Amino acid sequence: MQLGWHALAIALAAGSHYGTASGAKASAVHNLSDKAFDAWSDAQELALVKFFAPWCGYCQAMAPSYEQAAVALKKDGIPLAEVDCTKEAKLCEELDIPGYPTLKVVVNGDYVKYNGTREESGIVDYMRRHKQAPLPEIAAPRFDTFRKSANVVALGFFGRNTAEYGVLEEVARELRDEYTFGFVSDRTLAKAQEVPAPGIAVYKDGAKADIFTGAVSSESVIRFVRAASVPVLGELSSQTFGNYIRAGVPIGLVFYSTDAMRNELATQLERVARDFKRSVSLALVDARIYSKHAKMLSLEPTWPAFAIHDVAQHTKYPLPQPRSVSEAELRPFITSFAEGRLAPYYKSEPVPAANDGNVFELVSKQFNSVAFDTSKDVLVLFHAPWCIHCKRMAAAYEALGAAMKQHANLVVARMDGTANDVPSHDAALQVSGYPTVVLVRAIDNRAISYSGNRSLQSLTDFLRLHATHSLGASDAPQVEVEHVQSAYDVISNRDLGFSPKEARHIEL
């Protein structure tokens, strides 16, 4: 049998570290036990700890690089350690280690997330960068080079002993893996850059600074830096989408279908994009590639087209078609959005003329009035016409509706998720797959996701357990329905060959 390159790498790594023969050179990596963990961590100004399991192939493959990094970082005074979670299970549970390998940076006894790579060079570079001051002072001769040294550079123009310095240092510690930070105490340089001192400015690709205005706080500065990190009327794609999401600003998507159309829109909309940068990040999107995203925003395939997508609030605001995508149309449209006067758009089927079946046919237009009726428990099945798992569940769900129809304070409903949007910000109601079943409780309207199988008994037990109103002790419907494993059930732990804990702790 041939051994794949990945399996071979794991096998070689296993032999070189966790399976080290007796008499081998002592490891540069500290092995921590539960008893020594707290004292060791508290003593470290800066260190890195790996949480692993010997059976984990990814841990085995990473072991040589981690060992080499430990050797390289010794001269920097940055120790590397590891914890075997199969031996120190209690400690790993307390630290909520989600998978193997997990790396955490120790800073003066506190643990923070490691955001580097797993190669030796990546580990060494990451830890050396964290050993440096998060907010270095930049002298005038270095200024131009420094502000162009990274894609996004945030600079404070103030002295070290100021409140603004303390705020920006705190922000720099939190965001140093994403952006570059520094400060300038030279007031002459601040004046030359047209930045009021004390002040904060962000340089994007070395271009003219975006200057912070408003009350200085960690939260406001973080929002400012993230928002300033995306370009004015940049290109939105699969490669840049994460940057726009991290910016935390609603996105105004300008869809184009030809290069000539793109160039024309970029020229026409540059001013409006700059004026509304803090409220909406305008971005150009190639409809030839991302037409499905346009459809998700309820836009017809007629280009150009425009919509605002507030990702954080799960809302969309398509510019009514065929209104033109021009500064004259977009400026009042975005102004209405920024001032909170623009209502979000929710796709909906018509309200059914009759709705007296065993299962209530729910549509977006009536979702809030039905689902959030505080006098009733409402169970909602979100389905799709093409979903085979939904079809297999249909009989059980119909039987559940028939059995529960006698309860005046319970509604068993279903909604076609492909034809109706959910007009709610509740995370439990943001459907990511089908079928999805959610109970919206009476009185408190708390949404509880169903995670059982598709059997009638399981659905009934879920209602008995979570519904606000009692269903009685003996009204379980006696209907024969095929039991089918849920599409969302994970493969059993026995099938994986792992214990329950091992099955949870896998490589992320």
Side-chain angles (χ1 to χ4, degrees):
M1 181 179 70
Q2 290 186 333
L3 192 64
W5 70 268
H6 183 68
L8 179 60
I10 289 175
L12 291 173
S16 65
H17 186 76
Y18 296 120
T20 303
S22 59
K25 185 178 179 180
S27 173
V29 178
H30 300 271
N31 195 292
L32 299 180
S33 66
D34 190 353
K35 293 180 180 179
F37 185 81
D38 286 341
W40 185 89
S41 300
D42 291 342
Q44 307 308 317
E45 182 180 340
L46 179 67
L48 182 65
V49 179
K50 176 183 68 175
F51 298 86
F52 75 99
W55 49 259
C56 165
Y58 294 100
C59 304
Q60 295 165 10
M62 180 187 176
S65 296
Y66 197 70
E67 178 70 31
Q68 292 159 9
V71 173
L73 288 169
K74 263 190 172 182
K75 61 184 178 183
D76 297 282
I78 304 175
L80 269 62
E82 63 185 11
V83 175
D84 183 345
C85 288
T86 64
K87 294 181 179 178
E88 311 297 341
K90 182 179 178 182
L91 173 62
C92 294
E93 285 290 330
E94 289 175 352
L95 293 172
D96 196 24
I97 301 303
Y100 305 132
T102 289
L103 283 80
K104 288 183 177 289
V105 179
V106 188
V107 182
N108 295 319
D110 293 327
Y111 277 75
V112 297
K113 184 179 179 181
Y114 171 82
N115 292 313
T117 66
R118 296 175 182 173
E119 295 80 21
E120 176 197 357
S121 60
I123 295 170
V124 171
D125 290 346
Y126 185 91
M127 296 306 294
R128 283 177 177 165
R129 187 164 69 250
H130 275 252
K131 191 174 179 66
Q132 298 170 0
L135 193 63
E137 183 168 7
I138 310 302
R142 290 184 56 213
F143 180 81
D144 279 336
T145 301
F146 186 82
R147 73 181 177 89
K148 298 175 183 177
S149 63
N151 187 39
V152 177
V153 176
L155 279 164
F157 291 82
F158 38 63
R160 189 182 296 273
N161 299 317
T162 60
E164 290 82 3
Y165 175 91
V167 170
L168 191 59
E169 183 184 39
E170 182 180 343
V171 171
R173 289 187 185 280
E174 181 172 342
L175 302 182
R176 68 193 301 174
D177 295 337
E178 301 174 46
Y179 314 114
T180 297
F181 291 84
F183 82 99
V184 175
S185 58
D186 188 334
R187 285 184 172 271
T188 303
L189 189 54
K191 186 177 181 180
Q193 291 293 310
E194 299 180 352
V195 179
I200 299 171
V202 170
Y203 294 85
K204 170 74 175 169
D205 296 322
K208 186 177 179 180
D210 196 347
I211 299 172
F212 175 82
T213 57
V216 175
S217 68
S218 294
E219 294 77 13
S220 63
V221 173
I222 287 173
R223 285 196 302 270
F224 165 71
V225 173
R226 289 199 184 282
S229 69
V230 295
V232 175
L233 203 56
E235 187 78 18
L236 184 63
S237 66
S238 57
Q239 288 75 37
T240 62
F241 186 69
N243 297 332
Y244 283 89
I245 295 299
R246 284 192 294 272
V249 178
I251 309 169
L253 297 93
V254 182
F255 289 91
Y256 64 88
S257 58
T258 67
D259 292 345
M261 184 186 294
R262 182 198 185 283
N263 294 336
E264 184 179 352
L265 289 166
T267 301
Q268 289 182 2
L269 302 179
E270 195 274 340
R271 187 168 60 178
V272 69
R274 192 172 297 282
D275 289 347
F276 288 98
K277 181 175 173 60
R278 300 292 175 82
S279 304
V280 178
S281 291
L282 262 65
L284 295 156
V285 188
D286 192 336
R288 295 167 294 189
I289 301 173
Y290 301 106
S291 60
K292 288 185 178 179
H293 195 76
K295 183 178 180 181
M296 184 272 291
L297 294 171
S298 299
L299 291 171
E300 295 296 327
T302 303
W303 320 115
F306 177 79
I308 297 172
H309 188 189
D310 191 338
V311 179
Q313 297 298 320
H314 308 287
T315 50
K316 58 188 176 184
Y317 305 79
L319 179 72
Q321 294 168 293
R323 285 168 63 178
S324 65
V325 181
S326 62
E327 180 175 358
E329 290 282 7
L330 262 55
R331 188 171 289 277
F333 186 78
I334 298 174
T335 298
S336 295
F337 170 80
E339 294 177 353
R341 295 185 285 107
L342 193 63
Y345 175 83
Y346 296 106
K347 178 175 59 178
S348 180
E349 293 179 293
V351 176
N355 213 337
D356 53 2
N358 293 328
V359 177
F360 188 90
E361 300 296 341
L362 191 59
V363 299
S364 183
K365 288 180 179 179
Q366 59 183 171
F367 186 90
N368 288 340
S369 62
V370 173
F372 296 117
D373 182 345
T374 55
S375 69
K376 297 178 181 179
D377 293 297
V378 182
L379 186 71
V380 184
L381 163 66
F382 298 95
H383 67 96
W386 43 260
C387 169
I388 187 64
H389 302 293
C390 303
K391 294 175 182 176
R392 289 175 178 169
M393 185 181 187
Y397 203 75
E398 188 72 27
L400 179 73
M404 298 299 164
K405 203 167 179 63
Q406 61 180 301
H407 297 284
N409 293 320
L410 172 65
V411 176
V412 177
R414 64 182 158 223
M415 189 166 90
D416 182 349
T418 67
N420 298 274
D421 293 328
V422 179
S424 170
H425 302 161
D426 194 312
L429 292 169
Q430 304 311 312
V431 179
S432 59
Y434 304 109
T436 291
V437 179
V438 180
L439 173 67
V440 182
R441 287 164 45 97
I443 302 176
D444 62 7
N445 278 164
R446 184 160 65 93
I448 304 173
S449 298
Y450 172 74
S451 59
N453 60 47
R454 295 191 299 270
S455 71
L456 181 58
Q457 186 63 55
S458 180
L459 288 162
T460 304
D461 291 344
F462 173 76
L463 284 175
R464 279 216 189 92
L465 180 63
H466 294 292
T468 301
H469 299 293
S470 173
L471 302 181
S474 60
D475 57 354
Q478 302 300 313
V479 181
E480 289 295 329
V481 178
E482 178 189 9
H483 171 77
V484 187
Q485 185 184 30
S486 169
Y488 291 105
D489 283 350
V490 296
I491 301 172
S492 72
N493 296 326
R494 291 188 182 87
D495 291 339
L496 290 173
F498 296 153
S499 70
K501 186 174 291 185
E502 289 170 339
R504 182 172 71 87
H505 288 301
I506 58 177
E507 201 277 339
L508 294 176

